[in-house]
Amino acid sequence: MAVYNLPDLPYDYGALEPAMSGEILELHHDKHHAAYVKGANDGLDRLAEVRDKGDYATLVGLEKTFAFNLSGHVLHSIFWNNLSPDGGDRPDGELAAAIDEHFGSFDGFAGQLSAATKGVQGSGWGVLAWEPLSQRLIVEQVYDHHGNVGQGSTPVLVFDAWEHAYYLQYRNVRPDYVDRLWHLVNWTDVTARFDAARAATPKI
């Protein structure tokens, strides 16, 4: 039995139009995300084979590939729930207060996350994360799915900057795609992740 499984989308393929076309969403979820799920499961199997044989000559490559696919699966699973056809506007309550405290204002936060996402060199993500050591929100510019990440940080809002997320619709104009994502942000989901991350913060 597979350890990792492709989650269902919480909405129909066409629900995020016009910001995200149904064609892109279907390909993104059913092909790209599914490939990361398969890759993570295959990675576990190959790591088990290495342990059984006691031959770790290929371990470095296997660990790197497993991290790539598992991180891709995790980030996409968050991404789908971070979006909603009823999304947009701004957060309120404690999340809004934390954004003001840690970024100066919502506009300052939005500007930084947008710039991080738009400015990814190659493929990656813009991420709002809870950092447990300083007990604060930070923005991370993630390369691929797992590079340039602060250890222990928990993603609460993620923007996919891989070309497969937007190219069929926006071509090479990534900034337009990122600007439209703000109209889809499901702040209820982001707030729930923020609350859970704070509650689970370990002592370091």
Side-chain angles (χ1 to χ4, degrees):
M1 181 178 294
V3 173
Y4 303 108
N5 295 285
L6 182 68
D8 293 331
L9 290 174
Y11 33 72
D12 295 333
Y13 292 127
L16 303 183
E17 293 181 344
M20 187 180 297
S21 74
E23 179 186 16
I24 285 179
L25 187 54
E26 183 174 5
L27 286 170
H28 196 172
H29 176 264
D30 292 5
K31 302 298 182 182
H32 293 282
H33 188 173
Y36 300 131
V37 173
K38 182 179 185 303
N41 284 314
D42 289 348
L44 282 181
D45 290 342
R46 293 185 182 120
L47 287 166
E49 291 174 4
V50 164
R51 287 194 303 274
D52 290 343
K53 294 177 181 178
D55 180 0
Y56 295 100
T58 61
L59 184 65
V60 172
L62 290 176
E63 292 282 11
K64 184 176 181 179
T65 301
F66 176 63
F68 173 84
N69 284 299
L70 177 57
S71 297
H73 173 38
V74 169
L75 288 173
H76 280 91
S77 298
I78 297 171
F79 184 55
W80 306 135
N81 288 289
N82 275 170
L83 305 180
S84 169
D86 301 316
D89 204 6
R90 297 185 177 196
D92 54 18
E94 293 187 7
L95 175 58
I99 287 173
D100 287 343
E101 178 184 356
H102 302 144
F103 298 99
S105 66
F106 180 84
D107 290 339
F109 149 67
Q112 185 177 345
L113 181 58
S114 290
T117 309
K118 295 173 183 179
V120 168
Q121 296 174 325
S123 301
W125 300 74
V127 174
L128 173 67
W130 177 254
E131 197 284 294
L133 190 60
S134 63
Q135 295 280 287
R136 64 180 293 125
L137 291 167
I138 60 172
V139 166
E140 298 177 311
Q141 187 181 59
V142 178
Y143 285 89
D144 290 335
H145 303 304
H146 57 309
N148 211 37
V149 178
Q151 282 288 348
S153 62
T154 300
V156 298
L157 173 62
V158 300
F159 281 178
D160 192 346
W162 281 66
E163 285 191 345
H164 63 235
Y166 62 88
Y167 200 84
L168 287 177
Q169 183 173 354
Y170 294 91
R171 302 304 180 192
N172 63 335
V173 190
R174 183 190 287 169
D176 287 355
Y177 153 75
V178 174
D179 290 342
R180 297 294 291 275
L181 285 179
W182 288 104
H183 299 290
L184 300 174
V185 175
N186 180 356
W187 290 111
T188 300
D189 181 72
V190 178
T191 298
R193 295 179 187 278
F194 168 67
D195 291 341
R198 288 192 303 167
T201 296
K203 292 183 179 180
I204 297 176

